[in-house]
Amino acid sequence: MRHPAQRLHFCPSTNTLLVALGGILQCFSGTTGALMTSWSAPQLAVRTTKKEKRAQEEQEKKAQEEGGEKKAQEEEGKKDDEKKDEEKKEKESSPSKKRKVDTAEEEPAWVRTSMLGVGAPRGDGEGTGNSITRMLTVQEGRYLVVVTNEDKTLRVFEIAAGGAELKVLSERAMPKRLCAIATADSENTILLADKFGDVYSVPLLPAPEELAALTPTAAVSTVAPTAAQLAKAERDRLAAEKRKRTEISLDLPFTHTLLLGHVSMLVDIASVTVPGPQDTKPRTYVLTADRDEHIRVSRYPQGHVIEGFCLGHESFVSKLLIPTWDTHTLVSGGGDDFLLVWDWCSRKVLQRIEVGDLVAGVIGRKVAGGKLDQAEAEADRVFKVTVVGLWEVPSLRQVLVAFESVPAIFVFTHDEATSNLAHPITIALTGNPLDLAVDPAGPAFWVSVVPATAEGPGIEQFMHAGSQQWVSTSSSEALASIAAETAKVGFAGDEKVLNEGLLYAVGLLRKGTGRPEREE
Amino acid sequence: MASPPPPKRQKQSGQRTGLREKHRNNQERKEEAKLPQKKYYRQRAHANPFSDHQLAYPSSPKEMVWANHFPKYFPSAIAADGDAETKPSGKQVEVADIGCGFGGLIVSLAQKLPDTLMLGMEIRTQVTEYVEERIKALRIQHEAEGHYQNISVLRANTMKFLPNIYEKFQLSKIFICFPDPHFKARKHKARIVSPTLCAEYAYVLRPGGIVYTITDVEDLHKWMAKHFDDHPLFDRLAEEDLKDDVCVEVMRTDTEEGKKVERNNGSKFVACWKRREDPEW
């Protein structure tokens, strides 16, 4: 099976299209579609559980008892057993028993310090490998920021030779999985929103003295024999700190600030800088959206000052978009059958866009938003709307909307007279959309879809043909080249895991989708 | 032959015997306005604040129906266009007791601050129900004097939904009395005071408003003190400032936990902070 491209990003400055397929990043030329370079995220070995290990051992023993095997193999088996014993011991002494990923040797000790955890909800890419969940190019395409889910790492790349070369500048492992990223301070700071509800700010480029420890080569060098002792000392120190109880010890070995936090999973983050009142310097705000229907407006960098909340959604909020043509407004969408346009400064709703009928027109089923009703879900009568993406085409003042499992893109145009988003048009796709990247110069956009058939396209392209018309240019040579390269990336695992973990994970944020809760 | 030891007498919550339901639905008790008995409303002390629960909460403070809680101060819409006496008082809730438990604090404060609307907030359903019944009975008992009209209780997860209930700067006092200590380090985010939650308390608290905390766990006291002290929007109040504050005394002596600690001769740690003005920027 081909791996669908779960993330797309277009960098106008270098004219490159970045495609993420699982843990593989491919960088294409926007004009010719030639593959310029690629990178793959390190895959962590999945640790077998004790039960599995025992079963494996038993099987081996059985095989040995059955005899007819060569001595050499038996010896090998013994060696394996010894090795396993060692591993077991190590496992028992390790403070992070619950980590499912075996990272004992390869990673620096501090990665194991995350002890803030409650059980991670589903939809976090478990079992899909170390996949790329966010991509962003900053500072006119000089740097690329990539977030991977399994190792919870933020990587900053330098884009060299016009996109033909990607150089990892730093790797920073965060305590929790990252859900969304944004930038601040003229793209010199990255804001990281995580699953635990916290937002950290980190400098795009770590200070030179920190850099040595954050580059991938340096991380490998710490695995030298003496590192074991070092790691033990680190563990002891951490245990002591744990006992102190008056600190949340994150011990991230790089500059970071805990900016703000929700007691809820964060789903999206946006930052915006607007001019201050007369004679004051511009002010930056951070907007954070969570699973409990909140959109919070905080000051930046004083994240402890909350300006207010945009309250009006009835289900989780999964996407925030601040259109460039009016930075005082905010478009938000999530698990509701409507989008909201806000004046986020005064936290007032300017417009409520009903999308239920639009979606129903494409899928031909009754559509609803809000909480999942068990009876309705079982009968499979009602389709629950989930916004997976909001994008803008600045030159046309258009907002593009995609919904989970709805094979279409919906286009709204900003109406000058009423300053509303209106005139929806529907662009049909061949498969369910995953991500979209806009080329503002064209204007054009690419959409990655889950191929409907084995031969179906994984990425489609549309060009603006004037008078609000978008035409498909999916048959272009450039796209054929992209398709050929992306088709080489396969996925051999469980399809259900891939779907729930990575491709259709947003809808799982809906309340009531899990097992019914025990009321205590 | 040794006979088996007699079965241990256990406190009955009446859940299995049906006494619990019987007590709760006892119409006679309700008519006579007798206070409910705590033993029929026992519930385990911890609730997971990260869970969705089956919470009902307003989507924003504007949706909050205060008439159900304070009928004297918020007459329902039908009554509002009646005679002048049923006009809305213009008052709003100013005091929140976060994790009010069995309601000792607000019941005691009801008389001491008779003109202030106070809301107890509790995440456990059984306990909330007890406080509801208690206030109902107290209101009937003191119908002539009109007491206890200024307190009420709400089932809520304040860690998640505080901004759904209160407007910015609405509160003048927040009480955090004997919160769940969550001893394990990995549970620290579940504590009711954390660096990031302090920002939410500052949001609902007006400048000059006060956060009161009390606990019998020294570690937790240090934790709370550290995070409020470190927060740029809060100033610690000195001991002298608290001497004349009636709330501190009530918090020490009239909360259910406070009484329990008293009986066990435990120590109590009190700390209060005043909210600053938002800084210029």
Side-chain angles (χ1 to χ4, degrees):
Chain A
M1 180 200 158
R2 278 150 63 193
H3 198 305
Q6 80 274 14
R7 287 284 169 250
L8 288 182
H9 181 78
F10 180 73
C11 176
S13 318
T14 51
N15 190 22
T16 48
L17 180 71
L18 296 153
V19 182
L21 310 113
I24 293 174
L25 175 69
Q26 296 184 330
C27 183
F28 296 98
S29 156
T31 38
T32 63
L35 179 67
M36 296 165 82
T37 184
S38 69
W39 174 80
S40 59
Q43 296 298 320
L44 311 170
V46 176
R47 169 186 283 179
T48 46
T49 61
K50 270 187 185 168
K51 207 174 163 188
E52 283 169 349
K53 212 172 243 181
R54 219 178 292 135
Q56 213 179 334
E57 269 170 45
E58 259 166 40
Q59 219 169 24
E60 268 172 35
K61 241 183 220 167
K62 229 186 208 173
Q64 279 177 14
E65 276 166 17
E66 274 168 15
E69 278 182 348
K70 285 172 197 166
K71 256 188 187 174
Q73 264 183 348
E74 265 171 46
E75 267 172 19
E76 212 169 66
K78 259 182 210 166
K79 256 185 215 165
D80 272 359
D81 277 352
E82 273 166 37
K83 219 181 186 176
K84 258 167 216 149
D85 281 347
E86 265 169 48
E87 267 176 23
K88 241 184 206 169
K89 267 179 215 161
E90 202 174 280
K91 205 168 157 188
E92 273 154 20
S93 64
S94 146
S96 58
K97 279 182 201 157
K98 290 209 169 159
R99 265 187 88 92
K100 288 202 181 93
V101 181
D102 198 348
T103 49
E105 290 297 309
E106 284 92 38
E107 72 180 7
W110 45 263
V111 178
R112 284 184 243 151
T113 61
S114 60
M115 49 192 182
L116 277 168
V118 287
R122 302 142 308 148
D124 54 3
E126 208 151 276
T128 58
N130 197 14
S131 297
I132 294 164
T133 50
R134 290 282 180 252
M135 287 193 292
L136 192 65
T137 49
V138 294
Q139 298 196 358
E140 289 166 344
R142 288 229 302 275
Y143 302 103
L144 166 69
V145 181
V146 171
V147 168
T148 43
N149 60 357
E150 200 168 65
D151 59 4
K152 305 167 188 139
T153 298
L154 167 80
R155 284 185 180 79
V156 178
F157 293 80
E158 188 183 350
I159 303 177
E165 207 181 305
L166 289 175
K167 204 174 121 204
V168 182
L169 292 181
S170 66
E171 288 183 342
R172 281 170 277 189
M174 299 305 290
K176 293 285 153 195
R177 283 180 196 233
L178 298 169
C179 299
I181 54 175
T183 59
D185 299 327
S186 323
E187 303 195 330
N188 281 308
T189 302
I190 307 169
L191 307 177
L192 304 157
D194 73 20
K195 244 189 141 80
F196 221 36
D198 293 326
V199 176
Y200 294 90
S201 67
V202 298
L204 173 70
L205 303 172
E209 62 269 22
E210 284 177 3
L211 203 61
L214 301 175
T215 43
T217 45
V220 171
S221 72
T222 57
V223 187
T226 46
Q229 293 162 353
L230 276 172
K232 196 186 172 297
E234 180 73 7
R235 271 204 298 275
D236 290 347
R237 198 182 60 74
L238 279 168
E241 205 141 298
K242 202 173 169 182
R243 280 193 292 274
K244 257 211 266 167
R245 286 195 188 132
T246 47
E247 303 266 347
I248 297 180
S249 59
L250 291 168
D251 277 331
L252 303 178
F254 48 83
T255 313
H256 66 282
T257 317
L258 177 60
L259 196 65
L260 59 99
H262 295 222
V263 182
S264 175
M265 188 200 294
L266 287 173
V267 195
D268 203 7
I269 182 169
S271 70
V272 58
T273 304
V274 291
Q278 313 87 354
D279 302 332
T280 52
K281 56 180 193 304
R283 291 170 170 182
T284 304
Y285 294 86
V286 177
L287 283 71
T288 38
D290 72 22
R291 190 176 160 254
D292 290 302
E293 306 97 34
H294 301 118
I295 301 169
R296 185 195 284 190
V297 182
S298 312
R299 290 184 188 176
Y300 178 85
Q302 303 151 309
H304 54 267
V305 182
I306 300 171
E307 288 291 325
F309 290 83
C310 298
L311 301 173
H313 277 284
E314 289 158 18
S315 197
F316 60 89
V317 185
S318 58
K319 277 290 161 202
L320 301 175
L321 171 72
I322 296 168
T324 41
W325 57 84
D326 186 359
T327 52
H328 286 91
T329 62
L330 163 76
V331 188
S332 66
D336 294 314
D337 54 352
F338 55 84
L339 307 175
L340 292 176
V341 184
W342 304 82
D343 175 356
W344 58 264
C345 306
S346 65
R347 271 81 63 190
K348 291 211 168 64
V349 178
L350 299 174
Q351 192 195 351
R352 181 182 155 122
I353 308 170
E354 302 291 341
V355 293
D357 290 343
L358 281 175
V359 174
V362 173
I363 58 163
R365 269 166 74 188
K366 202 176 142 197
V367 163
K371 243 188 186 180
L372 194 73
D373 186 301
Q374 282 300 332
E376 279 185 339
E378 272 159 32
D380 214 23
R381 280 197 307 265
V382 174
F383 179 84
K384 288 286 177 181
V385 186
T386 304
V387 173
V388 289
L390 295 169
W391 303 270
E392 61 165 357
V393 186
S395 58
L396 302 171
R397 294 199 169 192
Q398 285 186 336
V399 172
L400 311 177
V401 189
F403 300 94
E404 200 167 270
S405 304
V406 179
I409 296 291
F410 300 90
V411 185
F412 293 87
T413 309
H414 180 256
D415 188 300
E416 294 282 355
T418 59
S419 68
N420 273 349
L421 288 176
H423 320 303
I425 48 174
T426 307
I427 302 170
L429 301 174
T430 57
N432 295 331
L434 295 171
D435 201 6
L436 188 148
V438 176
D439 175 6
F445 67 83
W446 291 267
V447 199
S448 65
V449 297
V450 180
T453 59
E455 289 79 34
I459 297 175
E460 295 188 50
Q461 190 188 27
F462 294 88
M463 288 282 271
H464 186 249
S467 65
Q468 318 294 352
Q469 289 301 307
W470 290 93
V471 290
S472 170
T473 45
S474 298
S475 52
S476 74
E477 245 173 70
L479 206 67
S481 154
I482 293 173
E485 280 301 327
T486 53
K488 287 178 191 165
V489 181
F491 180 77
D494 187 346
E495 208 171 314
K496 188 168 180 284
V497 171
L498 179 68
N499 284 345
E500 288 183 5
L502 195 63
L503 306 181
Y504 300 110
V506 188
L508 294 175
L509 296 173
R510 193 180 303 280
K511 288 179 185 175
T513 40
R515 44 178 192 276
E517 262 169 89
R518 191 165 55 99
E519 198 58 15
E520 286 167 308
Chain B
M1 232 171 90
S3 59
K8 260 190 195 165
R9 234 184 93 89
Q10 282 189 331
K11 272 191 185 171
Q12 280 281 352
S13 75
Q15 194 172 8
R16 271 177 234 107
T17 56
L19 286 173
R20 187 179 190 164
E21 287 310 304
K22 205 177 157 198
H23 175 82
R24 291 193 194 175
N25 301 328
N26 187 346
Q27 280 306 319
E28 247 173 69
R29 177 182 64 79
K30 286 184 183 170
E31 275 159 32
E32 287 169 31
K34 272 191 193 152
L35 291 176
Q37 281 182 284
K38 227 182 271 178
K39 65 175 178 186
Y40 295 118
Y41 296 89
R42 294 272 175 217
Q43 194 176 4
R44 62 186 297 244
H46 311 281
N48 179 5
F50 303 123
S51 153
D52 289 341
H53 295 286
Q54 260 137 32
L55 277 174
Y57 50 89
S59 64
S60 78
K62 284 184 206 75
E63 309 287 316
M64 188 75 199
V65 186
W66 292 109
N68 300 344
H69 289 277
F70 305 100
K72 197 185 155 197
Y73 293 88
F74 296 88
S76 58
I78 310 142
D81 47 41
D83 51 318
E85 270 178 41
T86 54
K87 258 191 187 164
S89 58
K91 274 203 194 309
Q92 51 179 2
V93 173
E94 262 185 50
V95 175
D97 182 5
I98 294 174
C100 69
F102 289 93
L105 181 90
I106 50 168
V107 167
S108 183
L109 279 179
Q111 304 277 28
K112 299 206 161 75
L113 306 167
D115 295 320
T116 311
L117 297 194
M118 291 177 268
L119 188 68
M121 306 172 86
E122 175 58 50
I123 195 167
R124 294 168 290 167
T125 34
Q126 316 274 327
V127 180
T128 315
E129 209 176 300
Y130 168 83
V131 183
E132 258 169 38
E133 288 293 317
R134 184 177 180 183
I135 294 172
K136 226 183 261 175
L138 282 169
R139 282 182 181 175
I140 299 173
Q141 282 175 9
H142 298 83
E143 206 167 9
E145 304 97 320
H147 289 163
Y148 298 105
Q149 293 290 341
N150 60 332
I151 56 168
S152 187
V153 69
L154 177 75
R155 187 192 176 211
N157 179 352
T158 53
M159 293 173 78
K160 279 178 185 272
F161 300 113
L162 208 56
N164 291 56
I165 295 160
Y166 303 113
E167 301 273 0
K168 191 179 188 179
F169 297 164
Q170 184 175 337
L171 301 178
S172 62
K173 291 181 202 302
I174 293 177
F175 289 92
I176 299 171
C177 303
F178 301 99
D180 193 338
H182 289 292
F183 287 113
K184 287 180 188 166
R186 64 190 301 267
K187 288 277 204 176
H188 281 178
K189 179 128 185 181
R191 285 181 168 175
I192 198 80
V193 173
S194 67
T196 53
L197 267 174
C198 287
E200 286 202 26
Y201 298 136
Y203 169 77
V204 291
L205 204 59
R206 69 185 61 152
I210 299 173
V211 176
Y212 297 83
T213 67
I214 185 167
T215 175
D216 56 330
V217 181
E218 191 172 6
D219 272 352
L220 181 66
H221 166 70
K222 282 186 186 155
W223 164 278
M224 295 198 290
K226 180 186 182 324
H227 291 309
F228 274 113
D229 283 346
D230 287 354
H231 199 276
L233 291 178
F234 289 98
D235 279 324
R236 181 82 167 258
L237 290 173
E239 288 285 324
E240 308 87 86
D241 299 329
L242 301 174
K243 243 188 282 171
D244 303 324
D245 197 328
V246 61
C247 300
V248 174
E249 201 44 44
V250 170
M251 192 164 70
R252 273 182 197 277
T253 56
D254 292 359
T255 51
E256 320 291 322
E257 279 296 317
K259 286 177 193 160
K260 196 161 103 190
V261 176
E262 200 81 59
R263 282 199 298 276
N264 301 336
N265 294 320
S267 36
K268 295 175 207 169
F269 304 92
V270 174
C272 304
W273 289 266
K274 192 180 231 169
R275 192 210 194 275
R276 281 188 204 165
E277 293 276 351
D278 279 347
E280 287 293 314
W281 72 314

